[in-house]
Amino acid sequence: MTTLAQTQPYLKRLFERIDLAPRPIGVETSRALEHWRASRRGVAPTFADVVADLRHGGFAFRAVPEARDYEIVIGAKAVAPLLGAVAEGARLSEAPNRRGAVRLRRLFDEALRAGEPALVEFTLVEKGRDRAGVELLAAPLALADGALGAVLGALNIQRYEAPAPAHEPPPATDEPIALFALGSSRALGERVARELAITLSPHEERRFEDEERKTRPLVGVRDKDVYVLASLEGETGDSGADKLLRLLFFIGALRDAGAARVTAVTPYLCYARKDRRTKPLDPVATRYVAQLLEAIGADRIVAIDAHNIAAFENAFRIEAVALDAQALFARYFAHRLGAEPAAIVSPDLGGEKRAELFRQRLETILAHPVAKGFMDKHRSMGEIAGEIFAGDVAGRAVVILDDLISSGGTMARAARACRANGATRIFLAATHGLFARDADSALREAPIEEIVVTDTVALSEAVAQRLRGRLVTLGVAPLLAEAIARLHSGGSIDELLDTGPKGAP
Ligand code: R5P
């Protein structure tokens, strides 16, 4: 962390904050940084490597040292909100928006000087009270001769209307539903908002030098039916516990601001695996998470494939809505497997009920028998054991269904057992692709044709790259949108789970 923006007058005029150990909050900036880190060899990745695979909406510039300028190579559209209309090949000095160009040049200079990525934050004043909070990343790139001479950049802009003077309350959203999406759930939130045909409500997330955070709505919520979308998976620099605390405080702020009803929508709910005591004096984390949400004033919680539905429903005294991705997986695999003999396997006994419901659902759609199987599994001190496999998988395509993939160990050993018992093709289906630690290497070595997950968790660019070719992601936005619409208007959630969103089988 640095206070460069405070101490260097030329930077202070341009930026509110500059950080040389960046931990971006925005989706585009986070993805660009991950891409940079994943491609890094030595001091910095090469310009050629990074630019060949620029899928996260970033941009790249090459230094023109003799002119003390930078030339845009790719991503003119992505950087246009700062520079105005520019074409690839143009120089910063030619950009219509002079201040934007100065900001970029200063930031690029800093990143190349430090040899590390740099992240800045500043506020753009657009017209009247319109403001935009900007997060801008620049990361150095090496040219063919190894010298640092180019930058990878990304921009994250959050538009909002500046709060009115203190005596006036902030304007209330005129949407019937106020939907906020925190942190890395923003992209999913935008998809849900699109399905609901509403605009995502704006909020501000600030990170202070000592890592404390502040998250507040930027629109009035008095008497509103408010939904806060926050998947609570841990990621580098932002644990599930950090995200949970931010969600709690945000709900507290909404309550203080007079929201009529607040629903926490946590597609992935953290700490749900510790739902009972397995050792003396163990905590029961699921219940403690429930108590925290209730204490701060949440009226309702919605989760998708909570680890143990009974534990989830029992932990909360407020309404706990348990959605599942069964209809999404069934639609996908009915199409994928067609008439092929198939079996559904649970990789542990705890997931057997989930797998059996899925098997029945798939059997109904396919209108031919689908076999089943399951695997024994014990986990103690992080080690997985248990070798017993029971099931009719010989000569069949197998779908191994679980709620989540974390280290990948559970799925990899089940896949090996299925192959040893004669399965022809092996697919993994898991609602939450957490892909922690070395999951991709555990899965790479297992006999798996395809890994199908949903987008409850924002996948890191690095993981997506490493599992490329075998990873399929199904979208949960229609399911969440339909659930929110029904909760708002008093519709049936059971019916939604029976039919799936938008009439999916
Ligand atoms: C545990 O009971 C869960 O349902 C998953 O099977 C487990 O958490 C997966 O973890 P990993 O991928 O680390 O084996």
Side-chain angles (χ1 to χ4, degrees), residues 268 273 307 347-348 350-351 354 377 379 382 384 401-413 434-437 439 443:
Y268 173 70
R273 277 176 287 178
H307 173 64
D348 55 32
R354 178 185 295 115
K377 181 179 99 174
R379 196 192 289 265
I384 303 179
L401 182 82
D402 208 350
D403 57 332
L404 63 91
I405 298 176
S406 179
S407 70
T410 300
M411 286 295 211
R413 64 196 285 283
L434 303 183
F435 298 114
R437 286 188 286 136
L443 296 169

Side-chain angles (χ1 to χ4, degrees), residues 113-452:
R113 186 189 55 72
E116 289 292 338
L119 186 83
V120 292
E121 287 175 10
F122 55 93
T123 305
L124 272 183
V125 180
E126 300 192 312
K127 49 182 173 355
R129 291 225 312 265
D130 287 350
R131 300 271 192 284
V134 180
E135 196 179 64
L136 175 64
L137 176 89
L141 299 175
L143 299 178
D145 62 1
L148 297 182
V151 272
L152 167 69
L155 183 64
N156 193 268
I157 298 195
Q158 207 176 359
R159 293 202 157 73
Y160 57 88
E161 194 179 350
H167 55 276
E168 255 182 64
T173 164
D174 51 10
E175 311 276 11
I177 294 171
L179 173 66
F180 295 90
L182 306 189
S184 55
S185 294
R186 202 184 104 202
L188 177 59
E190 274 163 3
R191 294 194 286 276
V192 175
R194 252 197 312 279
E195 293 284 333
L196 286 166
I198 62 171
T199 312
L200 205 54
S201 292
H203 72 281
E204 178 194 32
E205 298 190 25
R206 291 198 74 82
R207 193 196 305 249
F208 298 102
E209 279 68 15
D210 57 4
E211 288 301 307
E212 285 188 359
R213 311 282 187 90
K214 182 183 87 170
T215 310
R216 66 177 179 127
L218 291 172
V219 67
V221 291
R222 184 167 303 285
D223 299 332
K224 290 278 170 194
D225 186 16
V226 183
Y227 295 78
V228 187
L229 177 73
S231 231
L232 301 180
E233 76 281 5
E235 58 186 291
T236 316
D238 219 359
S239 68
D242 290 336
K243 291 183 178 182
L244 174 63
L245 192 67
R246 267 200 320 278
L247 171 65
L248 289 166
F249 288 4
F250 192 68
I251 291 173
L254 292 167
R255 272 269 159 262
D256 289 347
R261 184 167 61 179
V262 181
T263 301
V265 183
T266 54
Y268 173 70
L269 179 64
C270 62
Y271 290 104
R273 277 176 287 178
K274 196 64 201 129
D275 56 13
R276 67 197 170 97
R277 291 194 182 96
T278 49
K279 294 211 166 83
L281 310 181
D282 257 0
V284 186
T286 314
R287 182 156 55 80
Y288 309 152
V289 169
Q291 287 171 339
L292 288 168
L293 282 158
E294 286 163 0
I296 203 75
D299 294 287
R300 191 159 56 191
I301 179 160
V302 176
I304 303 183
D305 280 314
H307 173 64
N308 174 338
I309 291 189
F312 171 70
E313 288 175 342
N314 284 319
F316 287 87
R317 286 169 303 160
I318 55 173
E319 185 185 359
V321 179
L323 301 179
D324 63 54
Q326 293 241 341
L328 293 178
F329 285 130
R331 180 165 47 185
Y332 178 79
F333 282 107
H335 176 72
R336 191 83 175 79
L337 302 178
E340 197 173 342
I344 306 303
V345 166
S346 173
D348 55 32
L349 294 177
E352 200 276 329
K353 175 97 178 144
R354 178 185 295 115
E356 173 57 15
L357 288 172
F358 181 62
R359 188 195 68 75
Q360 289 171 12
R361 189 171 198 134
L362 196 62
E363 197 170 66
T364 308
I365 303 170
L366 290 173
H368 66 74
V370 174
K372 67 192 274 187
F374 47 86
M375 179 94 198
D376 184 23
K377 181 179 99 174
H378 309 287
R379 196 192 289 265
S380 186
M381 312 294 281
E383 291 299 315
I384 303 179
E387 294 306 321
I388 301 168
F389 179 87
D392 174 16
V393 296
R396 294 175 182 274
V398 168
V399 179
I400 309 175
L401 182 82
D402 208 350
D403 57 332
L404 63 91
I405 298 176
S406 179
S407 70
T410 300
M411 286 295 211
R413 64 196 285 283
R416 282 193 291 272
C418 289
R419 175 51 50 83
N421 282 273
T424 49
R425 305 203 287 158
I426 297 164
F427 298 85
L428 306 186
T431 308
H432 312 293
L434 303 183
F435 298 114
R437 286 188 286 136
D438 299 326
D440 45 314
S441 51
L443 296 169
R444 211 173 21 242
E445 283 152 25
I448 295 161
E449 183 164 326
E450 208 170 78
I451 302 166
V452 186

